[in-house]
Amino acid sequence: MTELNKKGQDKSVQITQAEGDLDNLESQEGQQNNKLLRASRDTAQAWAWIKQHQDEFEKPIYGPPIVECSVKDPKYVDLVESLFSKTDFTVFTVQTRGDYKKLSDQLYGRMRLVQVNIRTMTGGLDNFPPPASDENMRRYGFEGWALDYVTGPEVVLAMLCAEGPHLSQTGMSLRDTTPQQYEMLQDSPIGSWVTSKSLYKIARRREYGASATSTQVRDIKKAQIWTDQPVDVTAKRELQRNIEGWKEEIDAFKRQIDNHNRRVEQLRTEKDRLQEELKALRDEKTAKQKAISDFKGLPTRLSQQEEKLATVQKALAGVRARYQALEDKEDAIILEKAQAALDFANAGEGLWKAHISLHEAELMLIEAESDVEILTERNSAVKVLLETRRNELNGMNKTLESLAKEARVFRDACQELANNADEAMSAFFRELPEDQTSEELEVEIESGKARLELMHEGNGGVIREFEQRQKKIDALKAKLEEVKHALGEFDGKIREIRDQWEPKLDEMVKKISDSFGFNMKQINCAGEVGIYKDEQDFDQWAIQIQVKFRENEPLTLLDSHRQSGGERAVSTIFYLMSLQSLTRSPFRVVDEINQGMDPRNERLVHARMVSIATGNDVDRPQHVLPASHDRQGDGDGDDNERYDGSGEASPQQEVEEEVAGGGSQYFLITPKLLHDLKYERGMKVLCIASGEYMPSDQQSIDFKTCVDVRRGLGSVGVPAAAASC
């Protein structure tokens, strides 16, 4: 019966509301409220609640423009309504962030409404001047701005200027735009206008130049909201039909209640009679059960008393045994106390000895620190000596280059002398034995001088010229021997220094190549890193990267001619990841590395980068594992541990341990990412909101609220397109 009463009350409330709606159909406000109900039932329900609780907010809450605003001139109603979307017609306007949060919690949280939109506006219409003067507006063919034809609260109009239809920025004209006016508008600051038939919107991309514009044109429809239409007869008949039906239901509820009341009275009388009979039976049952329980409990009570007696006797015997045990325990404690006193005395002597040892250790520490300072000072001298030797080596290299140049000059001079010799001299040089030594040549020269002296008609000038040239030749030979000797010494020093760093360089590049090949193998490709060594010039040495992206092709050198941009990007990021185990860096920035990659490679590269950056790369090659761990190799069954022979981890191993633990941060900067990429704990995705469309009051943007709203809408099945904040 309580349910029937509640149903009757609900129907009465519905009748009262329907009669009120019926009366409202005759007024302008009622018609607008009815239009709001047809546009959005959730918004109408929210507006009814707001009107009853306006005093709970810091400033007034304004209703949707569909009820708060109207069009001044009916001739422009079609033009004005073409600027509004459904959201613009039904949005609420608040004036503070506190009111926004309170209203959102009420509508979205407690009332569970979905099709409700809220916007915040803190300023007035002074913040939204028109984009052109009145004179220019008339030159463009406009009678006014959309704001001039809409009336309503200033806060609501300011909100409509800031968002949605942008009333202060949109021109209005009952005439069509001429081609000349359209050309002028293309170069004007006006972004939209409405004529009697069409709505124009211009999109400008200023970063691409003044000509980068596009215009969207669509036809306008007849107004449906701000029109003076007659009373909706269909709605009126439906309300009247509902009222009559609800009244009939109430009458039926009343008849059912009367029948229920008569039946309840009959049942109440029968209940009283049955309760009296039940009480008498219960009293009789209780008395009989008590007697039976007392009789059955006699043997149990007797047994309990006998057990208590036996327990007391046993406890008495146990007390004597416990007394004797306590006496024995007391004796043992006295003995332990005496032994503790002896131990304390011995410990005092040990403490004194430990104190002496501590002083000795402190003295040794002072001596050790002094030794460290001395060794550090000696090491600094060694460093200075090493730097001096390096400077000497650089000087020798310069001397070697100078001597080599001088030797080439002497060689060219000798060649020039040979080229300028006369026929007799050339014949003489040809007749000389090839294996003749300088001593034999000296003997021949002396013999020739003796023969010339015997000749009375000889030319003394030729002999002197010959002797001068001979001296020059001897000097050049001596200098040439010195240059060869210096070159031999420099070659030896170069080989000695090269033998020190070249094996380490080869080992380092081998590690990089192993890691690079492993990363390429993960995407079913191949690659290796090597060194190009020019034996004549160390400046020509270079790192060479070879890759293979297809199964039936050999490894080829990575350059801009053989591989595509995406393949070069994949190779580059894998090479950088391979260098990670050999470099110390608190963070790494990777800028748009995924641009130009196909989706498959982008997913694989992103997964590898996540695994390495978070320290979860358990399948990495051996040489990038910490030295303190013993892991399986790449499939050959060997266990590898890396030490430097001193029993301690080398600096390289410390870097590798840092990498294995994910010690460095990665910043991947990119304008877009694929869906369903691999993510791990410790990662963050930061979305940066920036651009020309950001409001000046950035504090008014609450992304957390947008996310919460989207999640709430998603839980009730609203698509993403309808969930914009």
Side-chain angles (χ1 to χ4, degrees), residues 326-339:
L326 289 174
E327 286 185 343
D328 296 338
K329 186 175 181 180
E330 183 181 6
D331 295 340
I333 291 174
I334 292 172
L335 292 174
E336 291 177 358
K337 183 177 180 182
Q339 184 63 41

Side-chain angles (χ1 to χ4, degrees), residues 453-659:
E453 290 176 355
L454 296 175
M455 298 173 63
H456 297 284
E457 296 181 359
N459 189 350
V462 173
I463 295 174
R464 285 192 299 272
E465 183 179 355
F466 175 79
E467 290 175 349
Q468 291 174 357
R469 289 184 179 180
Q470 181 63 38
K471 291 179 181 179
K472 290 182 180 179
I473 291 173
D474 293 339
L476 290 174
K477 286 182 178 180
K479 192 168 290 188
L480 181 60
E481 289 298 328
E482 292 177 0
V483 171
K484 289 182 178 179
H485 180 69
L487 285 174
E489 290 182 351
F490 284 127
D491 288 340
K493 291 181 179 180
I494 290 173
R495 284 194 298 272
E496 180 181 355
I497 297 173
R498 181 173 173 179
D499 291 341
Q500 295 176 5
W501 57 261
E502 186 173 8
K504 296 180 180 179
L505 176 62
D506 292 336
E507 181 183 0
M508 185 181 300
V509 174
K510 175 70 167 52
K511 294 176 182 178
I512 297 173
S513 180
D514 292 343
S515 180
F516 180 73
F518 174 79
N519 288 332
M520 294 293 290
K521 183 179 179 182
Q522 303 308 305
I523 61 172
N524 296 324
C525 299
E528 65 179 25
V529 180
I531 306 176
Y532 169 73
K533 300 181 180 180
D534 190 323
E535 297 299 333
Q536 301 298 325
D537 189 357
F538 288 105
D539 288 340
Q540 302 301 319
W541 284 38
I543 291 291
Q544 288 187 335
I545 302 176
Q546 293 184 313
V547 294
K548 182 177 76 171
F549 285 91
R550 281 159 284 279
E551 182 176 0
N552 296 324
E553 68 177 15
L555 289 171
T556 57
L557 188 65
L558 180 66
D559 56 23
S560 60
H561 305 292
R562 295 184 178 88
Q563 290 81 20
S564 64
E567 292 172 344
R568 294 198 301 274
V570 172
S571 304
T572 301
I573 187 59
F574 278 169
Y575 178 69
L576 293 177
M577 282 191 269
S578 302
L579 293 177
Q580 177 171 335
S581 63
L582 303 174
T583 58
R584 282 183 179 272
S585 178
F587 65 88
R588 294 174 170 83
V589 179
V590 183
D591 185 15
E592 297 189 14
I593 193 63
N594 58 331
Q595 301 305 302
M597 294 187 189
D598 57 77
R600 172 182 174 275
N601 287 339
E602 182 175 350
R603 291 186 186 280
L604 293 172
V605 169
H606 186 274
R608 293 292 303 149
M609 189 183 303
V610 168
S611 298
I612 293 175
T614 58
N616 295 328
D617 189 17
V618 296
D619 295 328
R620 63 171 70 88
Q622 276 287 322
H623 66 80
V624 295
L625 288 174
S628 58
H629 290 261
D630 186 11
R631 302 278 184 91
Q632 283 297 113
D634 293 333
D636 55 0
D638 294 334
D639 297 331
N640 295 328
E641 291 186 352
R642 299 182 61 239
Y643 298 92
D644 61 0
S646 62
E648 298 180 355
S650 64
Q652 177 63 31
Q653 290 170 321
E654 294 176 1
V655 175
E656 295 166 359
E657 290 179 7
E658 177 186 349
V659 174

Side-chain angles (χ1 to χ4, degrees), residues 118-288:
I118 306 172
R119 294 176 184 170
T120 303
M121 174 51 58
T122 57
L125 290 174
D126 296 336
N127 299 324
F128 305 97
S133 63
D134 293 342
E135 181 181 355
N136 288 335
M137 176 191 69
R138 286 188 290 273
R139 284 199 312 113
Y140 297 144
F142 301 147
E143 290 90 36
W145 306 105
L147 181 62
D148 300 333
Y149 302 97
V150 180
T151 182
E154 181 179 356
V155 175
V156 178
L157 296 178
M159 179 272 294
L160 295 175
C161 291
E163 299 181 51
H166 299 286
L167 298 180
S168 63
Q169 306 291 316
T170 304
M172 308 291 285
S173 175
L174 294 175
R175 299 181 301 274
D176 289 338
T177 301
T178 65
Q180 293 79 7
Q181 292 171 344
Y182 180 82
E183 291 295 330
M184 292 181 354
L185 287 168
Q186 287 282 345
D187 299 328
S188 72
I190 298 175
S192 60
W193 69 91
V194 188
T195 65
S196 61
K197 297 180 180 179
S198 303
L199 168 63
Y200 297 82
K201 287 187 177 181
I202 298 178
R204 298 180 174 91
R205 299 295 298 274
R206 302 190 184 279
E207 63 270 26
Y208 297 123
S211 61
T213 62
S214 61
T215 304
Q216 179 184 0
V217 183
R218 62 180 176 86
D219 296 335
I220 63 174
K221 300 179 181 179
K222 298 294 291 182
Q224 300 292 329
I225 302 300
W226 290 315
T227 58
D228 294 327
Q229 297 179 349
V231 177
D232 191 344
V233 178
T234 303
K236 183 176 181 181
R237 289 178 180 174
E238 182 179 359
L239 289 173
Q240 292 174 344
R241 186 165 52 253
N242 290 338
I243 292 172
E244 293 175 358
W246 291 333
K247 288 181 177 180
E248 292 177 358
E249 291 181 10
I250 290 175
D251 293 338
F253 290 153
K254 289 181 179 179
R255 290 193 295 272
Q256 292 181 17
I257 290 173
D258 292 339
N259 293 334
H260 282 299
N261 287 336
R262 289 192 293 271
R263 177 60 179 166
V264 167
E265 189 62 31
Q266 294 175 358
L267 293 175
R268 186 178 290 112
T269 303
E270 181 68 17
K271 176 185 176 183
D272 294 339
R273 183 182 65 79
L274 292 175
Q275 283 181 343
E276 291 178 358
E277 294 181 358
L278 179 62
K279 185 177 181 302
L281 291 173
R282 285 178 175 173
D283 293 340
E284 181 180 358
K285 176 183 177 183
T286 301
K288 291 180 179 180

Side-chain angles (χ1 to χ4, degrees), residues 271-314:
K271 176 185 176 183
D272 294 339
R273 183 182 65 79
L274 292 175
Q275 283 181 343
E276 291 178 358
E277 294 181 358
L278 179 62
K279 185 177 181 302
L281 291 173
R282 285 178 175 173
D283 293 340
E284 181 180 358
K285 176 183 177 183
T286 301
K288 291 180 179 180
Q289 286 179 342
K290 186 176 182 304
I292 293 174
S293 176
D294 292 341
F295 178 78
K296 290 182 177 180
L298 289 176
T300 304
R301 292 175 61 189
L302 178 61
S303 171
Q304 291 175 350
Q305 294 300 323
E306 290 175 350
E307 289 178 357
K308 287 182 180 180
L309 178 61
T311 302
V312 170
Q313 292 175 349
K314 186 181 298 183

